[in-house]
Structure formats: structure tokens, C-alpha cells
Amino acid sequence: MPRWYMGELKDYYREWRKEKLALGDQWQGGDRQFIFHCGLGIPYYPARATINWIKFRDTHGLNIRLHDLRHTMVTLLTEEGVNSKAIQQRAGHSSSKITSDVYGHITKKVLEATA
């Protein structure tokens, strides 16, 4: 493994130990070291993000899916004139072509700025 990666793992381990010690008897994860956990050491499953979003959305009267936030992010970054390569990396696309193909629609704000 690269040295930088091993350094990251060491930092993570130190933080994990701090969390575990700070919680004392409340820690439920044993010696397992989940990167994503609920705060008590037990796994944080991917579906949980959607469940939490639905609760938040309903509490605040929003009508937007969690995935729609991704589209909003890309659109706002585009409107702000952020470099397409930076947007591609932020969105996790393998190429900027994918980003432009998926989010190629031009917003009114971008059209006005171009004019």
C-alpha cells in the first residue's frame, strides 16, 4: 500500500480509538472498525441515508428525492462557472464527457451569462 494510504489508515485508527473510548459502555461495535457507522460502532448501511433523507424531507415539507440533490449540485456548480473537470470529479464521473452528456442542459442563468 502507498505510504500516504497507510498514513490515512493510522489517522483513522487513532480517531476510531478516540470515539470508542469516549463512548465507553455505549459503544456497540466491539473491536470492529467500520468506516461508516451510526456513531455507536455498528454498521451504517447505505439504505440508511435514503431513510434519513425521507424523514428530513417529510419533517421540513420538501418534495425532492435524495438523488435530485446531486443534479442540483451539478447545476449550481455549472451556473457558478466551475470548471467541468472539477464538476466531473465532484460528481464521481469517470470522464467530463459523461458529466456533459448527463448534465448538458443549459440553464437560463448560463444562457444569460453567455449572451
Side-chain angles (χ1 to χ4, degrees):
M1 296 305 247
R3 287 184 189 192
W4 67 266
Y5 184 77
M6 296 309 293
E8 291 290 325
L9 284 177
K10 285 180 184 176
D11 291 345
Y12 168 76
Y13 181 74
R14 280 192 290 271
E15 290 301 315
W16 175 82
R17 294 279 303 153
K18 284 182 194 174
E19 284 182 78
K20 184 179 177 187
L21 291 172
L23 286 171
D25 292 340
Q26 293 178 337
W27 184 260
Q28 299 173 19
D31 287 331
R32 295 170 294 171
Q33 301 170 22
F34 297 109
I35 292 174
F36 301 104
H37 62 84
C38 72
L40 299 175
I42 52 179
Y44 183 81
Y45 295 98
R48 193 77 215 161
T50 301
I51 293 166
N52 288 347
W53 172 251
I54 290 168
K55 287 179 184 177
F56 178 86
R57 181 193 71 190
D58 293 347
T59 299
H60 297 283
L62 302 172
N63 187 21
I64 185 170
R65 297 173 304 152
L66 181 60
H67 187 76
D68 294 337
L69 296 176
R70 177 183 177 85
H71 296 290
T72 302
M73 172 197 68
V74 172
T75 301
L76 291 173
L77 291 173
T78 301
E79 288 180 351
E80 290 299 314
V82 174
N83 177 286
S84 63
K85 186 70 175 171
I87 296 172
Q88 170 230 323
Q89 290 175 344
R90 178 84 175 182
H93 296 143
S94 59
S95 75
S96 55
K97 182 176 180 349
I98 292 172
T99 307
S100 65
D101 287 350
V102 173
Y103 300 98
H105 59 281
I106 300 175
T107 65
K108 185 177 178 180
K109 184 175 180 178
V110 172
L111 284 173
E112 289 172 0
T114 304

